[in-house]
Amino acid sequence: MKERRTGIMINEIPFSNFPVLFRQCGLDFYIIDDEHGGFDYREIYGMISAARLAGGIETIVRIPCADRRDIIKFLDMGADGLLLPMTNGAEDIRKVVKYAKYSPLGERGISTMRAHTLYNPPPLAEYMPAANARTKVYAQIETKEGVERIEEILSVEGVEGFLMGPNDLSDSYGCLGDDGAPQILAAIDRTAECARRLGKTSGIITANARYLDRAKEAGMRMFSKGSELSLLASGIRKTVADICK
């Protein structure tokens, strides 16, 4: 696996072939934001299917909460991973593992003539352990409590790792507007060290250059920078500037 994995967030535009474009541009993963985004199931289904058929890029869905309904639907669509926002403790992420993993790790419902098997299900005794290994559960650490309880969160069996969200974390620490807040820098160091010690994956979702650099120095491995909207906006501004200069 690459030392550093790069990704992007899809915030609002449900273009099915975004994953193909992202892979061609060298990205390793992308996150579909179903926490803030207004996607319907069919739109998410289209993006996940394109990624599965193209191969070479990981689909992570940021779910709005740990409800069984969304977890089982996104995984049956073929999503590779789930990201739980505002993970404050082990009890939060344990619910996601419960519904995302087949027994004996969890209680995921079994329905295999679905997109997640590419409509060619192998014997259950083979498929269920393989699916458990493939399905990644990530905690999003974006509160002071989540940072303080990072070890118990990452110690839950079935949790792959975490992605930090500095925006809400800055709000939680009371340092909004500070682009290099010492509280956030310390949180990056603390959580990355814990992940390294426990053999878990660590990462960050931010466009803040200082936090990205600190995350690299701390040994984080997953980096999601910007969104399809920020790329579009910057491209439009550049086009206007090129024409008007």
Side-chain angles (χ1 to χ4, degrees):
M1 184 178 290
K2 294 168 61 176
E3 180 182 356
R4 291 177 184 160
R5 303 179 63 223
T6 57
I8 195 172
M9 184 86 70
I10 297 180
N11 281 348
E12 293 187 1
I13 303 174
F15 175 47
S16 294
N17 281 332
F18 263 143
V20 181
L21 175 63
F22 295 158
R23 187 201 65 175
Q24 297 286 29
C25 292
L27 293 181
D28 302 297
F29 69 93
Y30 70 104
I31 302 169
I32 300 174
D33 186 6
D34 196 49
E35 178 193 12
H36 297 288
F39 302 110
D40 61 37
Y41 287 131
R42 182 56 55 183
E43 292 167 341
I44 294 175
Y45 202 169
M47 290 185 280
I48 294 174
S49 294
R52 288 296 306 282
L53 293 173
I57 190 165
E58 179 182 354
T59 301
I60 300 170
V61 181
R62 181 159 71 178
I63 53 180
C65 60
D67 286 349
R68 180 180 185 275
R69 182 188 67 176
D70 283 342
I71 290 171
I72 197 166
K73 284 184 184 296
F74 294 142
L75 292 180
D76 283 355
M77 290 176 192
D80 299 290
L82 301 171
L83 175 64
L84 180 69
M86 296 291 177
T87 303
N88 291 324
E91 65 276 9
D92 297 332
I93 200 69
R94 192 174 286 120
K95 294 177 184 177
V96 181
V97 173
K98 176 181 178 180
Y99 299 130
K101 301 284 189 176
Y102 293 116
S103 64
L105 288 178
E107 301 175 10
R108 178 178 171 183
I110 302 171
S111 181
T112 56
M113 182 51 79
R114 302 282 180 176
H116 63 103
T117 67
L118 297 178
Y119 305 101
N120 186 28
L124 286 177
E126 297 175 13
Y127 181 69
M128 291 168 66
N132 279 351
R134 173 180 169 268
T135 301
K136 305 296 192 296
V137 174
Y138 299 97
Q140 186 162 355
I141 303 301
E142 47 188 344
T143 65
K144 181 179 179 181
E145 183 178 1
V147 172
E148 293 172 348
R149 299 175 68 184
I150 186 63
E151 183 159 357
E152 71 171 68
I153 291 168
L154 295 182
S155 295
V156 172
E157 186 177 9
V159 172
E160 178 73 13
F162 77 89
L163 296 174
M164 179 176 286
N167 287 343
D168 282 300
L169 188 57
S170 295
D171 188 31
S172 181
Y173 277 113
C175 55
L176 278 173
D178 185 344
D179 289 338
Q183 301 97 313
I184 306 303
L185 296 174
I188 290 172
D189 291 342
R190 175 176 177 175
T191 54
E193 189 280 328
C194 182
R196 182 171 55 254
R197 178 163 41 84
L198 296 177
K200 299 298 179 80
T201 299
S202 59
I204 192 167
I205 302 171
T206 186
N208 181 301
R210 185 165 183 188
Y211 295 156
L212 283 171
D213 287 343
R214 186 60 163 260
K216 293 175 186 176
E217 293 169 2
M220 288 188 177
R221 291 176 49 200
M222 294 182 69
F223 301 87
S224 177
K225 180 181 179 182
S227 69
E228 90 285 22
L229 296 177
S230 63
L231 287 178
L232 183 61
S234 63
I236 292 171
R237 292 188 182 102
K238 184 178 185 305
T239 297
V240 172
D242 289 345
I243 293 170
C244 296
K245 65 182 178 182

